[in-house]
Amino acid sequence: MSVIRFAGGRSIRYRPRALLVGAGCILLALAVGVLSIGSGDYPMSPSDVLSTLLGNGSPAEDFIVNELRLPRLVTALLVGAALALAGALFQTLVRNPLGSPDILGFTQGASVGALLVVVTGGSSLALACGAVVGGIVTGAAIYALAWRNGVHGHRLVMVGIGAAAILTGINGYLLTKAQLMDAARAVLWLTGSLDGRGWQDALPLLIAMAVIAPVVLLGCGRALQMIEMGDEAAGALGIRVERLRLVLLAAAVLLASLAAAAAGPVSFVALTAPQLAKRLTRAPGPNLLPSMCTGAALLVTADWAAQQLFTGHQLPVGVLTGVLGGGYLIWLLATERRAGRI
Amino acid sequence: MEHGGSRLSGSELTLRYEQRTIAEGLTVAIPDQSFTVVVGPNACGKSTLLRALSRTLRPAAGSVLLDGRDITGIPAKQVARTLGLLPQSSVAPEGITVCELVARGRYPHQGLLRQWSPEDERVVEESMAATGVAELADRMVDELSGGQRQRVWIAMALAQETPLLLLDEPTTYLDIAHQIEILDLCARLHEEQGRTLVAVLHDLNHAARYATHLIAMRDGRVVAAGAPKDIVTAELVQEVFRLPCRVIEDPETGTPLVVPAARQRAVATARA
């Protein structure tokens, strides 16, 4: 741990390694982002991409980079960061590395909202709104069901897993009710895809992240570390545990829902990124900022890889994160078992 | 009570989990600068009392007073600078070092722009020295033995620098040597640093040896309170624990020592 001291007794404490990990992930995300913008039906070299981003490209290149491909990159960065932050929050609040919005039912709730819109033939905007509303309603319902003199980690996990199963069933039912075209659109959405994302998809998430991330990181980050040690220990240190948990759960549900609205329920990023960040920083605690950077890098890289993997055929990014994330989960289970932790 | 001041007290407390009432009309005062130990049979409400005193559990009726004010009305961080608690079960975050865990005790003294003062540094070092874990500072908490780990948690509570410190069964799960080690540590903190300690203990003989003030509870009420040598008698032990026994003088310390009756005598006493 290093400390920077300022005049007036002010001080900030940080981990150099965590900062390095964060910076490294951001650099990776941006580098892959430039490659990703340069690839596609109209390939461009990285230097052309950079000069176009700086405003020195031809009108055609300017249109391709800034209107077609940059929004997709920005959406990927934001969705990755938002999912990772939501995952880090859930995992810390329920004190379980499996606590993530796609396992606790929040993502499935967002999917129900989105599918209801698809079945009734709504627009893309309505679909995004449906996802957000579905996620928030599910979040409130799970919180209410799990509440008993406060919400405790294991009960939230149980209720969440149950809700996830029920909501998955509802999603299946909705798909059978949909017209063929709508069902195809719904299945693509359910996989999680960044294809054709424009500024209108990135903007709501950008605003939400600009508001929620500072509140969570600066306002609650240190208190969240204390919750890791148990409710009583955190309470003894002067934290109003239940209030903090409610605020942070709400923030995490909002982030997960908005991410789903922008790119569909991209699986496993929320689960994997915080764990990956923890292993890279080797630091205890929720690792919120490194998790966000890791999540952004993870999703941008996965999206780029999904575009490159099969020439002439774009894979939705959710397929790749699912395969990678599932593999990672098995690896995690094996190493944890070897370490005797489970 | 027979002592002078009492910064921490509970008056007419009704303590309840959901529908289950643990205590009604419970009144206790913790004498300042005392090493108070709460004893009683399982489920007598001693840990619940500690939870109420530390405002972990909100009383259904009555109030806990800290420095004369209702504790629920005092800002949480301010309470945390006066009153510390070592809970029965705390979780050491994965991969945390001893020194980092102890440093977390400084939270109530810190802020967003006051994250680590020279004062924090000094208090953490002193706390680790006082509990004998200074040489473990860079070790992972997961790797420590039970007794070492408990000393680290106590160090964290010390780093909170509270004049009052509550400990919920600090010796549970430790072997006899480590139990004595922890109790000696508590006694030293009480004597040398002048802190008021309140501990819930299971072992009556440990309580009688270390406490300066003993609170004996049964069924959610206080049966007796006072110095161990004044209140620990065979009658009290019978009343509180339903245990026939003899009370003799501890050959080491002169404090009361409870010796449970042999089986035949217990049967005879029960028949009589």
Side-chain angles (χ1 to χ4, degrees):
Chain A
M1 295 286 261
S2 302
V3 184
I4 306 178
R5 293 193 205 285
F6 305 94
R10 299 201 173 137
S11 56
I12 287 180
R13 205 169 185 225
Y14 66 97
R15 267 171 207 282
R17 195 184 164 100
L19 278 190
L20 274 177
V21 167
C25 284
I26 294 205
L27 281 178
L28 174 71
L30 294 180
V32 176
V34 168
L35 283 180
S36 159
I37 288 180
S39 57
D41 291 340
Y42 182 92
M44 292 170 72
S45 70
S47 61
D48 285 346
V49 171
L50 286 174
S51 78
T52 310
L53 282 173
L54 294 171
N56 302 325
S58 68
E61 286 174 335
D62 182 61
F63 176 75
I64 290 174
V65 169
N66 288 320
E67 291 303 315
L68 294 183
R69 294 178 183 171
L70 185 59
R72 175 180 187 146
L73 173 66
V74 171
T75 309
L77 286 170
L78 287 168
V79 168
L83 284 175
L85 182 54
L89 287 174
F90 280 124
Q91 289 176 5
T92 311
L93 288 171
V94 304
R95 295 188 198 101
N96 189 327
L98 291 181
S100 95
D102 33 0
I103 288 182
L104 299 185
F106 302 104
T107 311
Q108 287 81 351
S111 302
V112 170
L115 287 192
L116 277 172
V117 173
V118 171
V119 170
T120 51
S123 66
S124 299
L125 180 65
L127 187 150
C129 293
V132 173
V133 172
I136 293 173
V137 169
T138 309
I142 291 178
Y143 185 83
L145 282 172
W147 203 90
R148 199 172 150 208
N149 274 341
V151 169
H152 301 285
H154 60 278
R155 202 153 46 221
L156 195 72
V157 173
M158 298 291 194
V159 173
I161 289 176
I166 294 171
L167 294 168
T168 305
I170 295 177
N171 281 333
Y173 171 76
L174 287 174
L175 277 179
T176 64
K177 286 282 146 192
Q179 301 290 325
L180 200 54
M181 286 298 286
D182 291 337
R185 182 178 161 217
V187 168
L188 180 63
W189 186 84
L190 279 175
T191 317
S193 166
L194 289 160
D195 205 19
R197 291 301 181 270
W199 287 117
Q200 74 280 3
D201 299 299
L203 198 62
L205 193 55
L206 185 66
I207 295 170
M209 281 295 272
V211 175
I212 295 176
V215 169
V216 169
L217 262 59
L218 299 176
C220 310
R222 287 160 39 75
L224 185 64
Q225 287 193 332
M226 306 299 147
I227 282 198
E228 259 191 318
M229 298 185 288
D231 289 359
E232 289 194 8
L237 289 170
I239 287 154
R240 297 202 178 271
V241 175
E242 207 48 50
R243 195 176 65 183
L244 181 69
R245 188 153 35 210
L246 179 61
V247 168
L248 290 178
L249 281 176
V253 167
L254 260 178
L255 288 171
S257 309
L258 282 161
V266 183
S267 56
F268 281 114
V269 174
L271 182 74
T272 322
Q275 293 296 320
L276 208 57
K278 192 170 254 195
R279 271 156 188 76
L280 290 173
T281 61
R282 295 198 199 132
N287 279 303
L288 296 178
L289 191 60
S291 295
M292 283 171 64
C293 301
T294 311
L298 205 61
L299 194 59
V300 169
T301 311
D303 190 40
W304 176 71
Q307 293 178 57
Q308 302 299 311
L309 222 46
F310 301 101
T311 39
H313 178 73
Q314 281 209 1
L315 217 53
V317 66
V319 173
L320 201 70
T321 60
V323 171
L324 286 179
Y328 167 80
L329 196 63
I330 292 171
W331 174 81
L332 176 73
L333 229 59
T335 52
E336 291 279 297
R337 177 129 94 202
R338 227 169 294 136
R341 280 194 284 269
I342 47 172
Chain B
M1 296 266 156
E2 69 269 33
H3 297 262
S6 177
R7 296 183 67 177
L8 181 66
S9 62
S11 90
E12 295 295 323
L13 298 173
T14 299
L15 305 177
R16 204 175 275 157
Y17 294 116
E18 316 244 322
Q19 297 308 310
R20 200 157 52 91
T21 302
I22 307 293
E24 262 174 320
L26 181 62
T27 296
V28 289
I30 307 300
D32 289 343
Q33 266 86 51
S34 68
F35 183 173
T36 296
V37 174
V38 188
V39 291
N42 291 336
C44 71
K46 51 192 193 299
S47 282
T48 309
L49 170 65
L50 211 67
R51 289 167 60 88
L53 289 178
S54 65
R55 59 111 174 67
T56 306
L57 176 72
R58 204 189 176 104
S63 52
V64 171
L65 298 178
L66 178 63
D67 291 327
R69 286 171 68 189
D70 190 326
I71 201 167
T72 52
I74 310 176
K77 246 182 161 175
Q78 193 183 327
V79 173
R81 287 192 291 263
T82 315
L83 179 68
L85 167 73
L86 181 69
Q88 225 176 92
S89 54
S90 297
V91 192
E94 204 185 310
I96 198 167
T97 61
V98 167
C99 151
E100 283 169 338
L101 187 66
V102 175
R104 290 194 172 185
R106 296 301 295 162
Y107 179 80
H109 301 272
Q110 296 168 334
L112 183 58
L113 292 173
R114 213 176 52 248
Q115 300 188 349
W116 196 248
S117 65
E119 170 85 357
D120 292 329
E121 185 100 40
R122 181 183 63 76
V123 173
V124 166
E125 273 168 23
E126 283 176 9
S127 306
M128 288 195 296
T131 49
V133 295
E135 65 274 22
L136 305 175
D138 295 319
R139 292 269 299 276
M140 294 287 167
V141 176
D142 315 331
E143 300 168 356
L144 303 182
S145 72
Q148 288 174 326
R149 209 174 303 164
Q150 189 63 314
R151 279 189 285 152
V152 171
W153 284 111
I154 292 176
M156 185 189 118
L158 288 186
Q160 213 174 321
E161 274 199 308
T162 56
L164 291 141
L165 179 56
L166 313 184
L167 308 116
D168 194 0
E169 302 196 11
T171 55
T172 314
Y173 308 125
L174 298 180
D175 63 39
I176 178 80
H178 285 121
Q179 289 184 22
I180 296 299
E181 180 188 296
I182 295 294
L183 289 168
D184 281 343
L185 169 62
C186 290
R188 218 176 59 236
L189 296 173
H190 166 245
E191 280 161 20
E192 291 172 10
Q193 305 191 351
R195 299 193 199 227
T196 306
L197 298 189
V198 185
V200 168
L201 292 182
H202 259 302
D203 190 311
L204 189 51
N205 285 328
H206 289 167
R209 180 183 270 204
Y210 287 94
T212 62
H213 183 80
L214 192 66
I215 297 176
M217 288 182 68
R218 182 176 180 88
D219 297 333
R221 59 190 178 83
V222 174
V223 179
K229 64 174 175 10
D230 298 335
I231 66 164
V232 177
T233 59
E235 291 72 35
L236 181 77
V237 177
Q238 171 68 36
E239 186 183 350
V240 171
F241 288 94
R242 301 284 185 265
L243 177 77
C245 71
R246 274 199 280 171
V247 173
I248 59 172
E249 192 173 275
D250 186 329
E252 282 287 321
T253 55
T255 51
L257 184 67
V258 175
V259 183
R263 201 168 62 85
Q264 290 84 350
R265 219 182 124 250
V267 173
T269 321
R271 285 211 185 111

